[in-house]
Amino acid sequence: MSTLVATNKKSFGATLWDYLTTVDHKKIAIMYLIAGGFFFLVGGLEALAIRWQLVQPMNDFVSAGFYNELITMHGTTMIFLAAMPLIFAFMNAVVPLQIGARDVAFPFLNSLGFWLFLFGGIMLNVGWFTGGAADAGWTAYAPLSTTSPGEGVDYYVLGLQISGAGTLMGGINFLVTIVNMRAPGMTYMRMPLFTWTAFVASALILFAFPALTVGLFLMMFDRLFGAGFFEANMGGNAVIWQHLFWIFGHPEVYILALPAFGVFSEIISTFSKKRLFGYTAMVFATVLIGFLGFMVWAHHMFTVGMGPAANSIFAVATMAIAVPTGIKIFNWLFTLWGGSIEINTPMLWALGFIPTFTLGGMTGVMVAAASADYQFHDTYFVVAHFHYVIVGGVVFALLAGLHYWWPKMFGTILDDKLGKITFWFFFIGFHLTFFIQHFLGLMGMPRRYWTYLENQGLDLGNLVSTIGAFLMGVGTIFLLINIVKTTMKNERVGGDPWDARTLEWAIPSPPPFYNFKQLPLVRGLDPLWVEKTEGRKGMTPAEPIGDIHMPNNSFLPFVISVGLFIAGFGFIYQKHDLSWLTLIFIGMGIALGAMLTRSVKDDIGYHIHKEDLQKEAEE
Amino acid sequence: MSEHDVLNPKHMPHNPEKATLEGKNKFIGFWFFLGGESVLFASLFGTYLALNDSTNGGKSSEELFGLELVFIMTMLLLTSSLTSVYAMYHMKNNDFKKMMVWLGITVALGLGFLCFELYEFNHYIHEYEFTMRSSAFGSAFYTLVGFHGGHVVFGLLWFISLMVRNAKRGLNLYNAPKFYIASLYWHFIDVVWVFIFTVVYLMGVL
Ligand code: HEM
Ligand SMILES: [Cu+2]
C-alpha cells in the first residue's frame, strides 16, 4: 500500500490537497507556523497603528472607535492567533521527535485542532469587514462587551469558541502522546525540558480553556439570546465574567511562558555544550509554576472590590511564583557558567531573554502588591510589565526556537548574520518601546486611551516608544528577508547541524514521515549526547526493522471546521433576522455529518512494510 | 498488530478496550477529556450558585421545583449507569449480544430521563412563564441543567450510532475502546446529575 519512492515535484493541486488532508504532525507544525506567523504580522501591524496614533499628543490618525478595535484585536490576535499557534507549531514539530515517537496519539484530532484554530481566527477577523471588529478589549469585560453594538464582539465570542475547541484538542493530544508514546528508556525524568514544559502547558490548557468556553457561552447567550448573566437589571453580575475570564486568562500566561522556558533550556544547554544545570529542579519548578498558575487569577481583580482578605491571599500566592521562576533563572545562568558558549542567533535570543524577563518578573511582583496595584492598575505600567513578560519571554522564545528548529523542520538553515541583525533591531526596539512605558504609567498615562494632552510630560516618552516599535518592525522585515533567502538558496543541512543533544537531532532533516525507522533506545538524559560521548554516530535501535503503522489522511477535519464556521454566522445574524437560522442548520449539518462519517468509517490506517524500508535504506 | 488482527481478533484479551495502542490512547485521552469537562461543569455550577437568588422579582426555585419528578429522573439515570456497567461486564467477557441488550436498556432509561426533563422545562415555561430571559436565575438554571441535558442527548446519540454501526460485526479490538469510553462518558453524565440534584434541586427547595 505504501510507496516510499519520493515522487518528483508534485503539482500545486496535489500539494494543496496533501496539506488540506494531512494528519502528519510535522506538516501540521508547518501549517501552524505559517498561519501563526501570518497572524503575528497582522497583530504587529495593528500594534504599529496603535503606536502611530500615540506618536504625538492629540493625534487624529485613527478615530476613537477604530482605536478600540485596534487594541482589542491586537491583544486578541497576538495571544490566541499568534503566540499560542506558534507554540503549537513547535510542540508539533518537536515533541514527538524528542520522545522518540513515530506519531502523536491522535493524528486526526491534531489536524482538526489546527483547522478549528484557523477558521476561528478567520472568524474573529471577519468583523473588520462587516462593520467593525470587537472593541471591548481582549478581556471583553461585561457590561462593556454585552452592550457593544454591531457584531464585533459576536465575532470575538464565536471565533474564540471555535479556535478554543481546537486548542483543547491539541492539549489533550499532547498529554496522551507524552504519557503513552515515549520510546523505550525515555522515562519521565529523561524527557527534554521542552517536552516537559509542553506537557505541563497542555495540562494547563486542559484545565483553563473550559472556563473560557463557559464564559464565552454565557456571553453568547447574553448577547444573542437575551439571557441575563451579566445584566444587572435582570439580577446578573458582571464580575462573574471577570472571574471566569481570568481563571482561564492567568494560566494562559503560563501556557505561553512555560514552553518558552523549555525552548531556552534546550538552546542554552546545546550551545553551552553542557547538560542543563539542575535538571530535576527545573522539572520541579515547571510543575510548581503550572500548579500555582491556577491559584492566582484574582490578582487581575484587586481593584474590583473583593476585599482586603481576598486581595492579600491572591497577592501572596502570586508572589510565591517568583520563587520557582527564580530557580529557573539561576539554573540557566549556572548552565552557562563554565560552558563552552557559542553565540549564534538562537543563543543571542536566549541571552537577551534572561535580563529582559527578569525585569518583567520584577515589575510583576510590584503589580502583585495589591495596595500598589491601585496605583498601577490600567496604566501603561501594566502594559510595560506584560509586554516585558510576553514579548521578552514568549516572542523571544518563538524567534529563538524558529532559528533553532528551522533546520529540523525544513532541512535548511537560516542565515546567521541576518538573524543577528533581526535580533539587534528587535531587541533594541523592544526596550525602547516598553522600558519608557513604565515611567509613562507611573506618571499617570492610562491604558487603552486613544489620545493624550500636550505638555503633560507624556510627549517625549510616547515618541520614543513609537520609534522603538518601528525598529521592531524593521527587525521583522529582516527576518522575512532571511526566510525568503534561505528558502531560495535551499542549501541542505544534515540531521544534526548544531551538534545537539536530544533525540530530534538523531534523524534526518526534515524527518521522514514515519520519524524513526527503528525506535531508539534511550539510555540517559540528552540521549543523543550519551551516544556521542561513547563514540557512536547515532542512536542504538531498540527494535529490529519492522512494519510501521501509519494513520490515513483525512479531509474531514477541514469539513468539520468549515461547518462550524458557517454555523457561526447563523448564530450571529439570527439576532437580526430569524431566517439566518438556516445557516445554523446547514453548518451544523455539515459538521455533524462529517463527524458521523468519521465514526462509521473504519480508519485503521496502513502499514509501511519492512521490505520497503530496507529497500529505501539501500538506495 | 495488523489490521486483520484488530478487526478479527483470534482471541479476545481480557481488557479489549486497552489491548491496542490506539485503545490505550483513547482510554487515557478520554480521562483527560473528562478532567476538562469537570472544569466546564464546575464553572457552570459556580455561576449558578452566584445567581440562584437573582430572581429579579420573578419565580424562585422554591416556587418552581418539585422533588417527585426530579427523584424519578434521578432514579432513571442512576439505574442507566448501572446497566451500562453490566454492558461493560459482558464486553469484557466477549459476550456481544448481552452487551447490546444492556446497552439497549441503558439507552431506553436515558430516553426516559430526557422525556421527563423536556416535560419539566415545558412545564416551567408554560405554567410559570419562567424562561432563560426571565431573570439571571433563569439564565443560570437553563444553562446548567440544559447543558447537562445536551450531554445526555449527545451520549444517547453516541450509544445509538455505535450500536447501529456495529450491530452486524460483533466485538473487536477496534470498536471495544469506543464502547468503553462511551460508557465512561455516560457515568460522568450521571455523576454530574447527582451534583445537579443536590445543588440545584435539593438546595433549591430547602
Ligand atoms: C512586538 C510589538 C508589540 C507592540 C509594539 C505592542 C504594542 C501594544 C500597544 C501600544 C498596546 C495598547 C496599550 C493600550 O493602549 O492599552 C498593546 C496592548 C496589548 N498587547 Fe501588545 N504590542 C506588541 C506585541 C504584543 C505581543 C507579542 C502580545 C502577546 C502575545 C501582545 C499582547 C497585548 C495585549 C494582550 C494587549 C492588551 C490589549 C487590550 O487592552 O485589549 N502585544 N500592545
Ligand atoms: Cu495573572
Side-chain angles (χ1 to χ4, degrees):
Chain A
M1 197 140 158
S2 59
T3 40
L4 286 182
V5 195
T7 36
N8 321 339
K9 276 272 181 229
K10 270 193 261 176
S11 75
F12 176 73
T15 313
L16 187 68
W17 181 247
D18 193 32
Y19 273 87
L20 286 179
T21 60
T22 188
V23 292
D24 181 349
H25 64 92
K26 299 172 291 298
K27 285 192 179 145
I28 291 175
I30 293 175
M31 294 197 292
Y32 268 119
L33 193 69
I34 294 171
F38 170 75
F39 283 122
F40 183 72
L41 295 180
V42 172
L45 287 177
E46 284 156 359
L48 290 182
I50 301 172
R51 276 315 324 166
W52 191 246
Q53 164 63 21
L54 296 177
V55 67
Q56 61 181 37
M58 302 301 289
N59 202 1
D60 60 357
F61 172 60
V62 293
S63 71
F66 190 61
Y67 186 83
N68 287 344
E69 294 169 31
L70 281 175
I71 57 160
T72 303
M73 290 304 286
H74 161 70
T76 312
T77 304
M78 281 299 194
I79 302 262
F80 292 99
L81 310 182
M84 291 272 294
L86 288 172
I87 298 249
F88 266 54
F90 292 131
M91 288 183 8
N92 267 300
V94 178
V95 167
L97 304 182
Q98 283 198 330
I99 60 174
R102 293 239 168 78
D103 206 340
V104 292
F106 305 113
F108 180 91
L109 216 59
N110 202 16
S111 122
L112 180 57
F114 169 77
W115 290 111
L116 286 175
F117 141 66
L118 185 62
F119 279 99
I122 294 173
M123 181 125 228
L124 257 166
N125 279 286
V126 168
W128 284 121
F129 308 101
T130 56
D135 60 356
W138 86 282
T139 53
Y141 275 6
L144 187 60
S145 50
T146 44
T147 52
S148 162
E151 289 83 39
V153 176
D154 301 326
Y155 281 112
Y156 169 97
V157 168
L158 281 148
L160 283 191
Q161 196 68 284
I162 293 173
S163 71
T167 308
L168 191 62
M169 287 172 194
I172 292 179
N173 192 9
F174 281 109
L175 284 171
V176 180
T177 304
I178 295 172
V179 171
N180 257 1
M181 317 255 301
R182 282 168 290 127
M186 177 57 82
T187 60
Y188 281 106
M189 291 315 278
R190 285 178 184 170
M191 287 191 330
L193 220 75
F194 181 68
T195 297
W196 255 113
T197 53
F199 187 62
V200 177
S202 302
L204 293 185
I205 289 175
L206 177 63
F207 292 116
F209 266 74
L212 177 69
T213 305
V214 169
L216 291 172
F217 261 119
L218 306 188
M219 178 80 73
M220 171 172 156
F221 289 164
D222 268 18
R223 278 189 64 93
L224 298 176
F225 302 112
F229 289 101
F230 311 126
E231 190 58 52
N233 58 25
M234 281 170 75
N237 183 347
V239 178
I240 292 174
W241 166 265
Q242 293 198 23
H243 278 293
L244 288 174
F245 185 85
W246 288 114
I247 288 173
F248 146 78
H250 190 78
E252 168 70 15
V253 179
Y254 295 96
I255 294 169
L256 300 175
L258 287 176
F261 296 165
V263 172
F264 287 127
S265 302
E266 304 289 314
I267 289 175
I268 290 177
S269 146
T270 301
F271 297 117
S272 303
K273 289 273 172 292
K274 273 173 71 184
R275 73 173 263 179
L276 194 66
F277 186 91
Y279 170 82
T280 318
M282 288 297 243
V283 172
F284 184 70
T286 304
V287 177
L288 192 64
I289 294 174
F291 175 76
L292 287 175
F294 271 102
M295 304 295 157
V296 301
W297 78 90
H299 63 205
H300 295 272
M301 302 164 65
F302 285 146
T303 58
V304 165
M306 298 183 298
N311 277 3
S312 315
I313 292 170
F314 281 103
V316 173
T318 305
M319 293 179 195
I321 299 187
V323 178
T325 315
I327 292 178
K328 292 202 154 204
I329 301 268
F330 280 109
N331 280 332
W332 287 317
L333 292 177
F334 285 133
T335 308
L336 289 164
W337 194 287
S340 55
I341 298 175
E342 180 189 346
I343 296 193
N344 49 21
T345 310
M347 194 62 167
L348 263 185
W349 285 110
L351 295 177
F353 152 80
I354 294 177
T356 309
F357 191 82
T358 306
L359 237 107
M362 273 157 53
T363 52
V365 176
M366 288 169 76
V367 284
S371 48
D373 188 58
Y374 279 85
Q375 182 68 27
F376 302 135
H377 186 68
D378 269 347
T379 68
Y380 261 73
F381 190 85
V382 173
V383 177
H385 154 67
F386 72 71
H387 280 93
Y388 261 78
V389 177
I390 276 184
V391 181
V394 182
V395 175
F396 281 19
L398 292 171
L399 292 167
L402 186 77
H403 289 81
Y404 181 60
W405 279 308
W406 187 275
K408 187 48 60 184
M409 291 177 77
F410 298 101
T412 57
I413 198 159
L414 287 171
D415 187 284
D416 197 48
K417 207 182 254 156
L418 281 172
K420 284 178 175 156
I421 296 176
T422 304
F423 170 81
W424 284 113
F425 268 108
F426 205 94
F427 186 76
I428 295 173
F430 166 79
H431 283 283
L432 272 184
T433 310
F434 293 110
F435 192 72
I436 204 151
Q437 290 184 2
H438 294 109
F439 301 99
L440 288 172
L442 290 177
M443 287 190 297
M445 177 164 160
R447 174 181 174 193
R448 294 174 174 171
Y449 271 33
W450 163 58
T451 186
Y452 52 94
L453 289 175
E454 261 167 292
N455 298 325
Q456 310 221 306
L458 304 176
D459 308 13
L460 182 65
N462 273 299
L463 177 65
V464 171
S465 185
T466 300
I467 293 174
F470 278 84
L471 289 183
M472 279 190 270
V474 175
T476 312
I477 291 172
F478 275 103
L479 175 69
L480 294 176
I481 294 175
N482 197 350
I483 289 174
V484 172
K485 190 179 151 203
T486 306
T487 312
M488 303 272 274
K489 258 180 39 191
N490 197 21
E491 256 170 42
R492 314 309 292 177
V493 291
D496 183 17
W498 307 119
D499 189 17
R501 313 170 72 84
T502 41
L503 269 182
E504 75 265 34
W505 305 104
I507 51 175
S509 312
F513 63 106
Y514 48 81
N515 294 358
F516 295 88
K517 189 172 291 170
Q518 291 161 285
L519 290 183
L521 180 67
V522 175
R523 300 191 298 151
L525 183 67
D526 293 347
L528 183 59
W529 195 256
V530 172
E531 304 288 333
K532 283 181 188 171
T533 47
E534 292 182 7
R536 269 181 289 272
K537 278 216 200 77
M539 297 299 299
T540 314
E543 55 170 19
I545 289 189
D547 291 357
I548 297 178
H549 178 244
M550 297 299 296
N552 289 324
N553 280 6
S554 172
F555 188 46
L556 293 175
F558 185 86
V559 178
I560 295 174
S561 310
V562 170
L564 293 178
F565 183 70
I566 294 173
F569 288 94
F571 280 113
I572 294 176
Y573 286 98
Q574 55 78 33
K575 75 177 174 184
H576 300 305
D577 182 351
L578 285 182
S579 61
W580 283 87
L581 285 172
T582 38
L583 267 195
I584 300 185
F585 290 114
I586 296 175
M588 292 309 276
I590 295 176
L592 291 173
M595 288 185 214
L596 195 71
T597 315
R598 162 76 179 165
S599 51
V600 298
K601 244 181 61 185
D602 288 347
D603 183 4
I604 311 199
Y606 65 96
H607 282 85
I608 310 170
H609 295 293
K610 192 160 91 181
E611 300 73 38
D612 292 329
L613 285 170
Q614 273 156 347
K615 199 163 11 148
E616 189 204 38
E618 283 154 21
E619 268 163 25
Chain B
M1 204 166 295
S2 84
E3 204 168 304
H4 185 79
D5 293 338
V6 171
L7 289 180
N8 309 296
K10 285 185 243 4
H11 63 93
M12 282 298 262
H14 189 60
N15 287 318
E17 77 279 6
K18 284 184 279 192
T20 60
L21 178 62
E22 282 74 19
K24 255 185 250 155
N25 286 345
K26 282 207 172 94
F27 179 80
I28 296 183
F30 202 74
W31 273 104
F32 281 129
F33 172 72
L34 290 184
E37 287 267 283
S38 307
V39 178
L40 198 109
F41 276 105
S43 305
L44 286 171
F45 274 107
T47 307
Y48 180 81
L49 284 174
L51 296 176
N52 65 352
D53 290 329
S54 306
T55 53
N56 194 28
K59 286 271 179 278
S60 70
S61 50
E62 286 92 343
E63 295 165 271
L64 287 166
F65 302 157
L67 279 188
E68 300 81 4
L69 184 81
V70 193
F71 182 73
I72 300 175
M73 287 165 70
T74 308
M75 282 302 131
L76 285 175
L77 210 57
L78 284 181
T79 317
S80 79
S81 220
L82 186 69
T83 54
S84 80
V85 172
Y86 281 136
M88 286 309 105
Y89 171 78
H90 290 299
M91 182 184 92
K92 295 205 175 189
N93 288 335
N94 198 15
D95 189 337
F96 183 70
K97 275 231 185 68
K98 283 202 181 129
M99 178 186 90
M100 292 290 267
V101 171
W102 283 107
L103 281 183
I105 300 176
T106 307
V107 169
L109 290 167
L111 276 174
F113 170 89
L114 206 63
C115 292
F116 278 113
E117 184 149 89
L118 288 176
Y119 167 79
E120 185 200 358
F121 285 3
N122 189 47
H123 182 69
Y124 293 158
I125 293 170
H126 290 107
E127 292 295 297
Y128 299 110
E129 293 188 348
F130 173 70
T131 71
M132 190 154 140
R133 299 177 188 189
S134 308
S135 62
F137 164 60
S139 309
F141 170 79
Y142 283 106
T143 305
L144 171 59
V145 181
F147 225 74
H148 175 268
H151 276 68
V152 173
V153 174
F154 189 80
L156 289 174
L157 289 177
W158 190 354
F159 272 140
I160 293 170
S161 50
L162 272 181
M163 290 167 72
V164 171
R165 166 68 180 119
N166 293 296
K168 293 217 185 81
R169 306 203 305 170
L171 214 51
N172 57 40
L173 296 181
Y174 182 67
N175 62 24
K178 297 190 172 194
F179 281 111
Y180 189 86
I181 60 172
S183 86
L184 259 187
Y185 183 74
W186 195 250
H187 291 312
F188 177 77
I189 295 175
D190 205 47
V191 173
V192 172
W193 177 259
V194 173
F195 279 96
I196 291 186
F197 178 71
T198 317
V199 172
V200 176
Y201 293 101
L202 272 186
M203 283 167 56
V205 295
L206 295 181

